[in-house]
Amino acid sequence: GDSWRLVHRALADGAVRVTRDELLAALEAAVEERVAEGLPFEDLGESLAEALESRVADLRGLLSERTYAEPPDVVDRELFPPCMTNLIEKAADDTKLSSAESFALMAFLVGIGMTPDEVVAFCADTSLDAEGIRYQTKFLTDDRGTQYPPPTCETLANYGICHNEDDHMQVAIGPLSYYEKRVAAADKVTDWRAERRPDETTGA
């Protein structure tokens, strides 16, 4: 953004003053760019693995609960579980999601049968990056076409993502099963994907 342009920054003796939050944002962007260039990193020994161990452990914990599931094959945002609706609204407000939040949302959208292209279109007006969406959603879909469901409500609660609105943990243990139950009980279901398709009768 404009605030990062050098002409708008305080400059002294060749150094640009930044706040701690700005420094962290710049470092995060640099890491994302470096990782996007490809792995593995060479000539770094075990120091990088040790530094990333705590974050890797978090991701392993999220992935350890995965089971194969058949998607409900319908995308009705009105029936989404509260935690997923909250994440979508947060991203729509241009707020950057944490790694755990992004993972949970992508796993849910893939779990209900959305393709990477559909997820990109669905999240087009949010803070989520299209390239990052494609990377995550392709990873979450294995070569047999089955999907990894999102973590359970209990795990999401530990990450501050699920707040057990309306005591829904009594209804289902995870967002995907909660959504499946809502779809099954709904009198009317509106599929977001159908709304995006051209009208075949008019060619519009």
Side-chain angles (χ1 to χ4, degrees):
D2 287 340
S3 65
W4 287 90
R5 297 181 183 277
L6 190 59
V7 68
H8 295 150
R9 312 299 302 191
L11 182 65
D13 296 327
V16 178
R17 182 180 296 276
V18 295
T19 66
R20 175 181 172 81
D21 287 344
E22 289 173 336
L23 175 60
L24 292 176
L27 289 172
E28 183 177 4
V31 170
E32 288 183 355
E33 183 176 330
R34 177 62 186 88
V35 172
E37 291 176 358
L39 295 172
F41 299 118
E42 297 179 357
D43 303 322
L44 292 176
E46 297 181 357
S47 60
L48 180 61
E50 292 174 357
L52 295 175
E53 182 57 36
S54 63
R55 299 300 297 274
V56 171
D58 287 343
L59 292 175
R60 284 175 178 161
L62 288 170
L63 288 169
S64 66
E65 300 175 347
R66 70 182 190 271
T67 56
Y68 291 110
E70 290 295 331
D73 197 29
V74 64
V75 182
D76 190 336
R77 181 169 172 173
E78 296 299 319
L79 301 177
F80 279 11
C83 57
M84 296 300 131
T85 297
N86 291 340
L87 290 180
I88 293 170
E89 291 177 349
K90 182 177 180 179
D93 288 337
D94 206 27
T95 302
K96 186 175 178 62
L97 301 185
S98 68
S99 298
E101 290 173 331
S102 177
F103 175 86
L105 179 58
M106 294 301 104
F108 174 76
L109 296 178
V110 168
I112 63 175
M114 298 181 74
T115 66
D117 286 341
E118 288 173 340
V119 177
V120 168
F122 187 79
C123 300
D125 296 325
T126 72
S127 62
L128 293 164
D129 175 68
E131 184 176 344
I133 290 173
R134 292 186 190 281
Y135 178 83
Q136 278 194 305
T137 52
K138 287 180 180 179
F139 169 77
L140 289 165
T141 306
D142 69 17
D143 57 4
R144 290 175 295 175
T146 50
Q147 287 77 35
Y148 296 124
T152 63
C153 290
E154 182 178 358
T155 299
L156 294 177
N158 291 334
Y159 280 90
I161 297 173
C162 177
H163 303 290
N164 195 28
E165 292 92 336
D166 300 324
D167 201 26
H168 66 262
M169 287 188 189
Q170 300 298 319
V171 178
I173 63 171
L176 189 57
S177 56
Y178 178 82
Y179 178 68
E180 290 173 337
K181 291 178 183 295
R182 293 201 70 186
V183 169
D187 294 328
K188 180 181 179 181
V189 176
T190 303
D191 195 329
W192 169 84
R193 294 171 299 184
E195 292 181 332
R196 295 182 63 242
R197 297 190 187 105
D199 187 338
E200 295 180 354
T201 60
T202 63

